[in-house]
């Protein structure tokens, strides 16, 4: 059995409680089942952070190893470069980017410190699996330190065209370092195609098959691994939560009005400003629906140390206030904007209570909330999902009402269409979406990636590597069997 070592910036330390974010939702079940090491940032800044070794704690089969960041590392690496440059560029929103060479240097230096602190924790047979845009150069930095273990990398967010990535001056250096991984995974084939183009134009890779690159005599396998949820499990949680006092209180507060629900981290990529504009357009054009609907947007604050996120929070509060004061009535508040998070199980109950799920990111790697909304529905009386065509989830959930999130009229029309949709059409659409997600799970996702990593010929020169295989379809391997073990 190989031990699994996961590296991600955000580590869901048990003592910190549930945190919003797709990365933790995707990875937690795998680590809890297989055990292993979860290494990353503690979520804390400390003056003496640079001198401290990783702090170790254990829960179940998982060993958590985390380091604090100095204030300067936090600002340069996390807030400014990862979230102020890479996050917008990777989401193809270049106008949001704020580049500063000093931040880029801090990003590389902090990655090097993560590599230094990881090194003493690694054993020869470990599979190292690095996650997300915080750690693009980490595979190269580990190789520089002599790490010969198989290294996999998975990007949870989209990958843009090379022209957009090239707007960040160190783009070529980032890609070259990332190409030191053995397997690089993406949410969609479009992301994979964009990365292959970047690897051949911004670095010296050669594409030798649809999912295979060669660089400096080594092969790097690419793959598409759409992140999944455990749909039956989420459905059961939604059913239980629907009977809970919290969800019952929400239902009572609606007094028979139809609930439209959005659940997103408060993030510029989630299209929240545009979504409120769409809802406002709906209210302005559909007076007959006044007092018959309520839109609840749950948007837990995220990354409040990044200036654009603070500005977004203020902008959203202002437009929510305007919608309520200008479109509401003394006895009717059309919009409820809540910036507190809450347990995922309670969200599941809210989703089940919602007639319409409004998931309209400007761009999203996958968007697990969309899958969760589908899973939470009552099969006998399902709600309608309105989904951005620019979310990775739209590829699997094409039976949703797909909209362009930049078009308030399209959002308004989709809301009306969802509210008047016949019971039969709601069921037909829901069944198609349920089928698209029901048989997958986060464990399948993790095992498929790790199987590819094990089979990649990691650590061997190109001539010994596994033969080229056809682009993979979904792997039909049953879960919960010994064949899925990471060995
Ligand atoms: P992202 O990773 O960009 O935040 P996703 O939609 O892919 O977006 O994943 C969000 C995940 O975080 C979902 O699994 C969702 O259930 C979970 N989550 C937990 N609590 C919250 C909350 N209060 N608001 C939003 N998401 C939450
Ligand atoms: O899935 C995207 C993601 O950026 C994860 O990497 C991250 O854990 C989550 O969203 C929440 O963001 P943050 O860790 O910056 O709070």
């Amino acid at each position: 059995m190989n031990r699994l070592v996961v590296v991600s910036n955000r580590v869901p330390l048990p003592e910190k409680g549930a945190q919003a974010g797709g990365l933790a939702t995707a990875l937690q079940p795998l680590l809890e089942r297989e055990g292993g090491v979860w290494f990353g940032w503690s979520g804390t800044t400390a003056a003496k952070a640079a001198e401290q070794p990783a702090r170790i704690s254990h829960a179940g089969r998982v060993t958590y190893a985390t380091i604090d960041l100095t204030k300067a590392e936090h600002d340069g690496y996390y807030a400014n470069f990862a979230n102020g440059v890479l996050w917008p560029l990777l989401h193809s929103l270049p106008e949001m980017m704020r580049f500063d060479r000093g931040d880029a240097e801090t990003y590389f230096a902090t990655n090097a410190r993560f590599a230094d602190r990881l090194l003493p924790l690694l054993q020869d047979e470990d599979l190292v699996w690095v996650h997300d845009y915080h750690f693009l150069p980490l595979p190269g930095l580990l190789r520089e330190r002599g790490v010969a273990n198989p290294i996999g990398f998975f990007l949870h967010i989209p990958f843009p065209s090379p022209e957009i990535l090239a707007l960040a001056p160190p783009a070529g250096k980032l890609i070259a370092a990332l190409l030191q991984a053995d397997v690089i995974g993406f949410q969609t084939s479009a992301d994979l195609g964009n990365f292959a183009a970047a690897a051949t134009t911004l670095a010296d890779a050669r594409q030798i098959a649809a999912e295979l690159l060669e660089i400096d005599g080594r092969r790097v396998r690419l793959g598409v691994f759409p992140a999944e949820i455990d749909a039956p499990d989420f459905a059961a949680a939604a059913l239980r939560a629907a009977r809970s006092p919290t969800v019952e209180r929400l239902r009572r507060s609606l007094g028979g009005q139809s609930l439209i629900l959005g659940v997103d981290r408060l993030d510029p990529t989630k299209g929240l400003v545009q979504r409120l504009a769409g809802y406002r357009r709906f209210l302005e054009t559909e007076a007959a629906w006044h007092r018959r609907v309520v839109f609840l947007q749950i948007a837990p604050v995220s990354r409040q140390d990044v200036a654009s996120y603070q500005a977004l929070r203020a902008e959203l509060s202002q437009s929510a206030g305007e919608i309520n004061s200008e479109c509401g009535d003394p006895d009717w508040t059309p919009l409820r904007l809540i910036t507190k998070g809450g347990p995922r199980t309670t969200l599941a109950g809210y989703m089940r209570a919602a007639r319409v799920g409004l998931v309209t990111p400007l761009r999203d790697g996958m968007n697990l909330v969309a899958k969760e909304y589908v899973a939470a529905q009552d099969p006998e009386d399902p709600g309608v999902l309105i989904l951005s065509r620019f979310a990775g989830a739209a590829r699997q959930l094409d039976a949703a009402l797909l909209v362009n999130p930049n078009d308030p009229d399209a959002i308004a029309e989709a809301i009306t269409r969802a509210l008047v949709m016949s019971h039969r059409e709601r069921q037909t659409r829901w069944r198609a979406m349920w089928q698209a997600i029901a048989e997958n799970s986060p464990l399948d996702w993790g095992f498929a990636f790790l199987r590819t990593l094990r089979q990649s010929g990691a650590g061997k020169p190109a001539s010994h590597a596994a033969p080229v295989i056809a682009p993979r379809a979904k792997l039909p391997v049953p879960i919960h069997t010994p064949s899925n073990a990471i060995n």
Side-chain angles (χ1 to χ4, degrees):
M1 288 283 276
N2 299 101
R3 190 176 66 151
L4 173 60
V5 177
V6 161
V7 184
S8 65
N9 176 70
R10 183 67 59 185
V11 178
L13 290 166
E15 66 268 24
K16 297 228 167 189
Q19 292 168 35
L23 183 146
T25 299
L27 275 170
Q28 212 147 7
L30 180 73
L31 268 142
E32 279 170 7
R33 182 182 137 137
E34 291 301 315
V37 177
W38 198 331
F39 173 75
W41 179 36
S42 63
T44 303
T45 54
K48 295 244 161 40
E51 294 126 53
Q52 295 161 357
R55 193 175 305 116
I56 308 292
S57 62
H58 303 275
R61 304 187 61 200
V62 186
T63 299
Y64 295 94
T66 56
I67 62 172
D68 297 338
L69 295 178
T70 63
K71 174 81 171 66
E73 285 173 336
H74 169 272
D75 292 352
Y77 147 81
Y78 173 77
N80 297 347
F81 193 74
N83 286 317
V85 175
L86 293 176
W87 178 266
L89 287 187
L90 290 166
H91 283 88
S92 300
L93 296 170
E95 64 284 0
M96 262 179 65
M97 172 183 97
R98 296 284 171 272
F99 179 80
D100 175 274
R101 187 182 287 183
D103 295 330
E105 284 165 6
T106 306
Y107 175 85
F108 280 97
T110 309
N111 264 264
R113 199 162 78 73
F114 273 106
D116 289 336
R117 292 296 176 269
L118 177 59
L119 216 52
L121 305 177
L122 288 181
Q123 298 169 6
D124 285 350
E125 302 302 315
D126 287 346
L127 290 178
V128 181
W129 191 7
V130 181
H131 291 261
D132 243 356
Y133 59 102
H134 311 88
F135 290 134
L136 295 179
L138 196 67
L141 292 164
L142 290 172
R143 295 290 184 228
E144 277 174 16
R145 285 158 177 73
V147 173
N149 302 52
I151 300 180
F153 181 93
F154 184 78
L155 186 68
H156 291 254
I157 67 176
F159 197 93
S161 73
E163 292 76 16
I164 292 187
L165 190 71
L167 297 174
K173 190 174 164 192
L174 289 166
I175 299 294
L178 176 53
L179 283 166
Q180 293 294 320
D182 299 293
V183 175
I184 305 178
F186 301 90
Q187 299 274 22
T188 69
S189 55
D191 300 325
L192 185 152
N194 282 338
F195 178 78
T200 52
T201 54
L202 304 177
D204 293 330
R206 204 164 58 87
Q207 187 163 11
I208 54 177
E211 300 195 342
L212 203 61
L213 301 175
E214 195 171 276
I215 183 162
D216 299 333
R218 290 174 46 253
R219 283 181 176 182
V220 182
R221 184 164 296 285
L222 310 181
V224 177
F225 305 91
E228 303 291 354
I229 62 161
D230 187 333
D233 188 62
F234 199 82
L239 185 57
R240 275 193 307 276
R243 302 185 191 120
S244 70
T246 317
V247 176
E248 192 41 47
R249 268 202 309 280
L250 171 67
R251 211 191 307 273
R252 265 205 311 276
S253 76
L254 295 171
Q257 299 173 98
S258 295
L259 178 65
I260 303 171
L261 179 70
V263 175
D264 314 72
R265 281 182 307 102
L266 204 158
D267 190 294
T269 62
K270 300 291 182 185
L272 295 166
V273 171
Q274 295 79 353
R275 191 179 307 172
L276 293 200
Y279 182 58
R280 185 179 178 127
R281 189 67 49 90
F282 163 79
L283 294 174
E284 286 166 353
T285 53
E286 296 283 351
W289 281 100
H290 287 200
R291 289 194 188 74
R292 294 169 63 201
V293 292
V294 171
F295 175 23
L296 169 61
Q297 175 63 54
I298 300 184
V301 289
S302 180
R303 305 177 191 164
Q304 282 301 289
D305 28 24
V306 181
S308 55
Y309 286 67
Q310 288 167 12
L312 173 67
R313 187 178 184 180
E315 187 180 356
L316 269 188
S317 300
Q318 179 170 343
S319 51
E322 283 169 9
I323 288 175
N324 282 331
S325 57
E326 293 165 27
C327 307
D329 277 314
D331 59 343
W332 178 58
T333 308
L335 172 65
R336 303 177 190 178
L337 173 65
I338 308 294
T339 56
K340 279 198 298 259
R344 195 163 165 250
T345 45
T346 305
L347 294 176
Y350 291 164
M351 288 177 188
R352 193 174 174 96
R355 170 56 72 213
V356 181
L358 204 43
V359 184
T360 56
L362 302 179
R363 199 166 288 272
D364 214 327
M366 175 50 61
N367 198 296
L368 295 180
V369 166
K371 293 184 174 182
E372 290 170 351
Y373 178 75
V374 172
Q377 296 312 297
D378 176 356
E380 297 307 316
D381 187 20
V384 180
L385 175 65
I386 299 175
L387 178 60
S388 162
R389 57 177 68 257
F390 304 126
R395 295 183 172 234
Q396 288 161 286
L397 303 178
D398 56 358
L401 292 183
L402 295 183
V403 293
N404 184 324
N406 300 298
D407 181 355
D409 287 300
I411 294 176
E413 283 160 16
I415 293 174
T416 309
R417 194 166 160 206
L419 290 168
V420 300
M421 190 178 285
S422 70
H423 180 252
R424 191 171 161 176
E425 183 176 352
R426 280 191 280 122
Q427 272 196 325
T428 307
R429 286 178 181 274
W430 178 81
R431 280 193 197 120
M433 292 191 282
W434 173 257
Q435 269 165 17
I437 60 169
E439 284 176 16
N440 311 322
S441 80
L443 289 176
D444 286 336
W445 169 79
F447 289 137
F449 185 94
L450 293 171
R451 197 164 38 234
T452 307
L453 181 57
R454 272 189 279 112
Q455 291 167 353
S456 67
K460 298 183 190 131
S463 55
H464 296 117
V468 178
I469 51 168
R472 59 178 273 285
K474 199 172 112 39
L475 290 164
V477 175
I479 57 167
H480 307 311
T481 67
S483 65
N484 282 324
I486 306 162
N487 53 25

